[in-house]
Amino acid sequence: MNSIKLISLAALATSLMPSWAAQKQNKPNIIFVISDDHSVPFLGCYGNKDIKTPNFDKFASEGMTFTRTYVTAPQSAPSRSSFFTGRSTISTTMSMFSLPLPGNVITYPDILKEHGYYIGVTARSHHQDGLKRNKDIQQAIERNDMATFGRRFDYHRIGGQPLPELKVFLDKAATEGIIRKSKCSRVSK
């Protein structure tokens, strides 16, 4: 698998950038990248010499890597609920793939937004608001106003490719004066 295909599989679940005021206070920029159905042996930054993953390797060299992390559930949406909350899938009521994350469950993006961060999620057809393919589930979610995931973010865009979508998010943040324009030049296609 070449790096282009690998990057296209990557799901940028959330990217978090501090507001201009927060930058003045030296708060860190945070970009959280999730790659669905992907394991650590398939990244160069974790020692695989046969697979080329230059973008992930660059992220790893300039940020953090983890060697003892595990998912909390075998399905992606429940696992993401744990990433976003630091809680078990049972305590978030996200023990099934098709369930939405309840609006009263506090997430890290909620907390960061409350502390002056500009929050965005891009390039992922995530299921934090329930499974869209099931008409009955989707109607129940809409009828009961349970779709709250998009309300948690300043910028919310589903679909597209991860790196171009990240650039759109950074450009929007720069245009609104949230981050300096020069920060955006580091993201390439």
Side-chain angles (χ1 to χ4, degrees):
M1 182 180 285
N2 67 34
S3 62
I4 299 296
K5 287 181 184 172
L6 182 62
I7 292 301
S8 70
L9 293 175
L12 183 59
T14 188
S15 53
L16 313 167
M17 301 300 287
S19 69
W20 186 251
Q23 279 188 347
K24 290 180 181 179
Q25 297 172 11
N26 295 321
K27 289 184 180 180
N29 292 334
I30 302 167
I31 298 176
F32 186 64
V33 178
I34 298 175
S35 177
D36 280 359
D37 303 324
H38 185 236
S39 299
V40 90
F42 306 109
L43 287 166
C45 59
Y46 282 97
N48 189 318
K49 305 290 185 216
D50 298 321
I51 295 176
K52 306 299 180 210
T53 55
N55 291 310
F56 279 133
D57 297 348
K58 186 167 176 74
F59 269 139
S61 70
E62 294 179 4
M64 284 188 211
T65 59
F66 301 90
T67 58
R68 293 183 181 193
T69 55
Y70 304 91
V71 295
T72 58
Q75 293 178 317
S76 57
S79 285
R80 281 193 294 276
S81 77
S82 290
F83 288 148
F84 288 131
T85 65
R87 296 168 53 182
S88 74
T89 57
I90 299 297
S91 73
T92 64
T93 71
M94 291 265 317
S95 58
M96 294 176 52
F97 185 72
S98 59
L99 298 174
L101 183 64
N104 67 342
V105 173
I106 297 172
T107 67
Y108 289 130
D110 295 332
I111 294 167
L112 291 170
K113 187 175 181 178
E114 197 174 291
H115 286 86
Y117 279 78
Y118 183 75
I119 310 297
V121 62
T122 66
R124 177 65 181 111
S125 298
H126 48 74
H127 307 287
Q128 296 308 122
D129 276 334
L131 187 60
K132 306 279 190 238
R133 294 187 300 232
N134 185 309
K135 182 181 174 184
D136 294 331
I137 291 173
Q138 190 57 40
Q139 286 175 350
I141 290 168
E142 289 171 11
R143 185 173 50 251
N144 295 295
D145 195 31
M146 296 168 65
T148 63
F149 192 71
R151 295 181 210 159
R152 299 175 189 268
F153 298 90
D154 299 305
Y155 179 87
H156 185 225
R157 172 87 195 269
I158 296 175
Q161 293 296 315
L163 291 178
E165 285 298 324
L166 176 59
K167 185 173 183 340
V168 169
F169 168 74
L170 294 174
D171 286 345
K172 181 169 175 44
T175 300
E176 294 185 11
I178 306 301
I179 61 172
R180 287 187 215 124
K181 187 73 172 171
S182 61
K183 298 277 186 186
C184 300
S185 64
R186 298 184 66 188
V187 177
S188 61
K189 291 183 181 179

